[in-house]
Every structure is written in C-alpha cells, then in structure tokens.
Amino acid sequence: MFTFKQYYFDDFTLGEEFPIPSRTMTEALFAAFQLASADNHPSHYDVEYCRKRGMPNLGAHGFQILIQSAAGAGWFPHYVEDSMKGFIEQSSKFLKPVYVGDTLYPSLKISKLDCGKTTGVVTLASTILNQRDELVMEGEQKYLIKRR
C-alpha cells in the first residue's frame, strides 16, 4: 500500500494544487446518476427531448458535474487522513452546460487558510474545465483540519 506524507493545517500553502483525474461523461454515468439521485427530468435521460429543445445530447445535472470535483477522487484526502476533522462547506456555480461525451478536468487549489487555535479551515477553489478548455464549474470546498 502506498503511504502519503501526512499534512496538518500548518503544512499547507496557498496555491498548492490537488488535481483530480479527468472523466468522460458517458451515457452509463448519466444512467447511474439518475438512479442514485432519483432525478427523472427528461433532459437527463431522453435524447430526443433534448434535441427538440436545441441541446446536442443529454444534459448533465448540476450535481452530476459537481461530484466530479469530489476531493476523494484525487489525492487530497490521503494527505489528511490523520488530521481531517470534517468537510464543512461547499459552494458551486455552473457556468456552461455539460453533455454526454464531454470530458471534464477537475482541479482543487488552496485559495485560503484560516488559522484557529487547534484547527484551521483549508479552503480549496474547485474548478472543472471541459475538453475545449472552457470553465464549466467553479466553487469552493472547506475542510476543518487539525494543527500540529
């Protein structure tokens, strides 16, 4: 098993990046999300409904896009296994539509460090680009991390 150097709040630096592997949005992912979310709007599963409304294919639900930025899909949680107290906040803005066949490139970057007495809040800017290098989502994730 691969082990990671353990980070505590004091070990993080502004601008430090935690990439997440890319993922192509397939029909199978759309079906799995529909099943898990119970979102049954036809814009997410009926391609003819979408085409009649000018969309080239099935449109991804915002939460389906958001989950591509889950820190657990990358290395970040491995660095804080001993120090993370909790995932405490998340926000996001959806800037462009995502369709079946689009490839998404998520990334997390430390944008703010708020130090407390025994813990600190690490804020990660979350971004997702598509295969055309267009920003489709931006937001923040906040984690409560123990200090050394």
Side-chain angles (χ1 to χ4, degrees):
M1 181 172 155
F2 189 74
T3 57
F4 288 79
K5 174 186 174 198
Q6 290 300 291
Y7 279 44
Y8 286 78
F9 175 82
D10 309 278
D11 300 318
F12 288 102
T13 58
L14 287 175
E16 190 171 1
E17 293 189 46
F18 295 91
I20 297 171
S22 63
R23 176 176 277 178
T24 299
M25 304 305 291
T26 65
E27 285 188 28
L29 289 173
F30 273 65
F33 185 82
Q34 180 191 6
L35 181 64
S37 70
D39 185 326
N40 291 312
H41 193 275
S43 64
H44 307 307
Y45 71 87
D46 183 338
V47 72
E48 293 308 318
Y49 175 92
C50 295
R51 287 182 181 143
K52 287 179 186 174
R53 285 154 181 82
M55 297 187 301
N57 210 323
L58 302 176
H61 189 292
F63 286 117
Q64 184 178 356
I65 299 164
L66 169 63
I67 62 174
Q68 305 310 310
S69 69
W75 296 120
F76 179 77
H78 298 283
Y79 287 105
V80 294
E81 289 174 338
D82 295 340
S83 63
M84 185 161 65
K85 300 290 282 176
F87 176 34
I88 59 172
E89 190 175 329
Q90 183 281 323
S91 65
S92 52
K93 294 179 186 176
F94 305 103
L95 306 170
K96 297 247 182 202
V98 171
Y99 300 105
V100 165
D102 284 347
T103 300
L104 302 181
Y105 299 88
S107 185
L108 301 173
K109 181 191 287 190
I110 297 187
S111 60
K112 190 174 183 186
L113 296 165
D114 292 312
C115 187
K117 189 173 184 179
T118 60
T119 60
V121 175
V122 174
T123 301
L124 298 170
S126 56
T127 58
I128 301 179
L129 300 171
N130 65 16
Q131 71 275 11
R132 292 178 296 282
D133 216 26
E134 299 169 326
L135 187 62
V136 299
M137 191 210 84
E138 65 182 359
E140 287 186 338
Q141 299 178 19
K142 293 184 180 183
Y143 295 87
L144 186 63
I145 307 289
K146 288 190 271 185
R147 295 193 67 198
R148 287 202 178 270

